[in-house]
Amino acid sequence: MLKLNVKNETSRLRAVVLGSAISNGPTPKADEAYDPKSLEHILANTYPVESDMIIETEAFNSVFQKYDVTVLRPKMIENYNQIFARDIGFVIDDVFIKSNILPDRERELDAIQFVIDQINPVKVIRPPEEVHIEGGDVMLWNDYIFVGTYKGSDYASYITARTNMHGVNFLKKLFPNKKVKEFDLVKSRIEARDNALHLDCCFQPVGKDKGIIYKRGFREEADYMFLVDLFGKENLFHITRDEMYNMNSNVFSIDTNVVVSEKNFTRLNNWLRANGFIVEEIPYAEIAKQEGLLRCSTLPLIRD
């Protein structure tokens, strides 16, 4: 049995599900795009090709091997995008929660059923139907559960709104001893530079007391200020609109001092090194064209 344990974003990683780009399928049609960044690249004929994305995910896998992390990969579904494992489920403490994701993507959960079968069944939860929640919006920080959501009255019309207030309240009931704090995120169906698809598109902790943040990703300044007050402004790396677009906050921590980052994130990577982090740089710019990056590609199961 897998003994799940995830309490934060940065403790030493022991086991993870890493998405796969094998048999990724053809470039989607414009009306099949799930987010504005993918749509932008579909229309520009710059949508990533499978061979490039395989190189990128395998570079990520190589870093995990270097640090002796157990890596599980989804079973292959032919001609199907299975890169973003974070969307389909997440672990809080020792509980595996299946995401209520877009119906078209239900098969991705089936592809990791062999992993779920290794978990104590009483620790596997599927939220009720009205609860919308995706792993990219759920971020653990010890006593806190940070949750990205969208509180606009037009929630139902936004394919980019992935976690609703039912999802926030579901986590509050499930984890009464945690401090569940929701963040109202900026959404756009047409401009990727103004779309925080998930919370990890505009914020993520690194190390023991630092974080990467994009102020304009939050609809309410009070939500941004909450994080400034919690972490301290001097401990937060503020990214620009273009850096948010390129997914600078979507790095991934293997340990409190080890961060996997995209090799083109020069300003961020320099800041991380200046603050004592080991930065494992890999290519991931092609996958980024789908509005997802390193954190999106992972589903951590066990951390120290």
Side-chain angles (χ1 to χ4, degrees), residues 251-265:
V251 295
F252 184 77
S253 293
I254 290 180
D255 207 338
T256 51
N257 66 332
V258 180
V259 177
V260 188
S261 182
E262 215 287 328
K263 64 185 179 69
N264 294 302
F265 294 171

Side-chain angles (χ1 to χ4, degrees), residues 173-224:
K173 286 179 185 168
L174 198 58
F175 298 97
N177 297 323
K178 298 273 191 182
K179 301 170 190 169
V180 178
K181 165 63 180 166
E182 78 270 14
F183 299 88
D184 196 8
L185 304 181
V186 171
K187 303 287 181 179
S188 174
R189 288 168 290 192
I190 53 173
E191 176 49 80
R193 286 167 181 80
D194 298 317
N195 180 49
L197 186 65
H198 291 119
L199 178 59
D200 59 18
C201 296
C202 60
F203 172 72
Q204 186 174 182
V206 287
K208 293 182 176 177
D209 61 356
K210 292 180 171 52
I212 305 160
I213 196 164
Y214 177 60
K215 181 178 181 179
R216 287 171 58 190
F218 301 91
R219 291 215 306 164
E220 299 291 337
E221 184 159 356
D223 284 348
Y224 160 76

Side-chain angles (χ1 to χ4, degrees), residues 34-36 137 150 155 157-163 186-190 195-198 291:
Y34 289 131
D35 62 86
D137 277 324
Y150 178 66
Y155 175 95
S157 68
Y158 271 76
I159 198 168
T160 55
R162 300 294 178 79
T163 299
V186 171
K187 303 287 181 179
S188 174
R189 288 168 290 192
I190 53 173
N195 180 49
L197 186 65
H198 291 119
E291 207 157 351

Side-chain angles (χ1 to χ4, degrees), residues 25 27 55 78 117 132 151 164 193 203 222 267-268 283:
T27 297
I55 289 168
E78 280 194 32
D117 288 342
H132 297 177
K151 296 180 181 178
N164 60 11
R193 286 167 181 80
F203 172 72
R267 199 173 73 91
L268 170 64

Side-chain angles (χ1 to χ4, degrees), residues 26 69 79 110 115 122 125 131 169 175 181 202 204-205 211 221 299:
V69 175
N79 297 317
D110 297 339
V115 177
V122 301
I125 292 174
V131 169
N169 293 326
F175 298 97
K181 165 63 180 166
C202 60
Q204 186 174 182
E221 184 159 356
L299 198 175

Side-chain angles (χ1 to χ4, degrees), residues 12-291:
R12 178 66 162 92
L13 183 71
R14 300 297 176 184
V16 67
V17 177
L18 173 65
S20 172
I22 296 170
S23 193
N24 199 253
T27 297
K29 297 181 176 68
D31 61 0
E32 296 172 332
Y34 289 131
D35 62 86
K37 194 170 181 183
S38 293
L39 177 60
E40 182 181 313
H41 287 286
I42 291 166
L43 296 175
N45 291 317
T46 52
Y47 194 81
V49 297
E50 181 182 304
S51 56
D52 289 338
M53 293 192 290
I54 290 173
I55 289 168
E56 292 182 344
T57 53
E58 295 317 307
F60 201 178
N61 191 26
S62 295
V63 177
F64 286 135
Q65 303 308 323
K66 176 180 175 180
Y67 287 91
D68 200 26
V69 175
T70 299
V71 179
L72 301 161
R73 309 298 292 272
K75 289 187 175 175
M76 191 190 81
I77 304 169
E78 280 194 32
N79 297 317
Y80 199 80
N81 188 333
Q82 293 177 266
I83 294 172
F84 298 125
R86 181 74 61 159
D87 291 350
I88 60 177
F90 54 94
V91 174
I92 299 178
D93 292 347
D94 61 349
V95 178
F96 185 96
I97 299 168
K98 295 180 176 182
S99 298
N100 278 344
I101 47 177
L102 298 166
D104 294 351
R105 299 184 59 186
E106 192 69 29
R107 293 165 70 195
E108 290 176 71
L109 259 175
D110 297 339
I112 62 162
Q113 187 60 44
F114 76 98
V115 177
I116 298 168
D117 288 342
Q118 298 175 56
I119 301 167
N120 182 344
V122 301
K123 295 291 187 179
V124 178
I125 292 174
R126 185 70 184 256
E129 196 175 333
E130 71 275 8
V131 169
H132 297 177
I133 195 161
E134 289 189 1
D137 277 324
V138 179
M139 200 165 280
L140 309 183
W141 197 240
N142 304 315
D143 293 338
Y144 286 96
I145 303 174
F146 301 143
V147 190
T149 186
Y150 178 66
K151 296 180 181 178
S153 58
D154 53 352
Y155 175 95
S157 68
Y158 271 76
I159 198 168
T160 55
R162 300 294 178 79
T163 299
N164 60 11
M165 283 303 294
H166 289 299
V168 174
N169 293 326
F170 170 78
L171 292 177
K172 285 180 177 177
K173 286 179 185 168
L174 198 58
F175 298 97
N177 297 323
K178 298 273 191 182
K179 301 170 190 169
V180 178
K181 165 63 180 166
E182 78 270 14
F183 299 88
D184 196 8
L185 304 181
V186 171
K187 303 287 181 179
S188 174
R189 288 168 290 192
I190 53 173
E191 176 49 80
R193 286 167 181 80
D194 298 317
N195 180 49
L197 186 65
H198 291 119
L199 178 59
D200 59 18
C201 296
C202 60
F203 172 72
Q204 186 174 182
V206 287
K208 293 182 176 177
D209 61 356
K210 292 180 171 52
I212 305 160
I213 196 164
Y214 177 60
K215 181 178 181 179
R216 287 171 58 190
F218 301 91
R219 291 215 306 164
E220 299 291 337
E221 184 159 356
D223 284 348
Y224 160 76
M225 287 307 302
F226 175 89
L227 293 168
V228 170
D229 292 342
L230 185 64
F231 283 80
K233 194 159 190 177
E234 71 281 2
N235 289 321
L236 292 172
F237 181 82
H238 283 72
I239 58 177
T240 66
R241 185 170 180 252
D242 279 341
E243 286 171 333
M244 191 281 288
Y245 171 76
N246 289 315
M247 310 293 295
N248 275 231
S249 64
N250 207 271
V251 295
F252 184 77
S253 293
I254 290 180
D255 207 338
T256 51
N257 66 332
V258 180
V259 177
V260 188
S261 182
E262 215 287 328
K263 64 185 179 69
N264 294 302
F265 294 171
T266 307
R267 199 173 73 91
L268 170 64
N269 295 345
N270 288 341
W271 177 83
L272 287 167
R273 290 192 187 96
N275 280 279
F277 290 93
I278 297 165
V279 182
E280 296 286 352
E281 293 188 0
I282 62 171
Y284 230 70
E286 290 304 303
I287 285 172
K289 292 176 179 179
Q290 300 178 81
E291 207 157 351

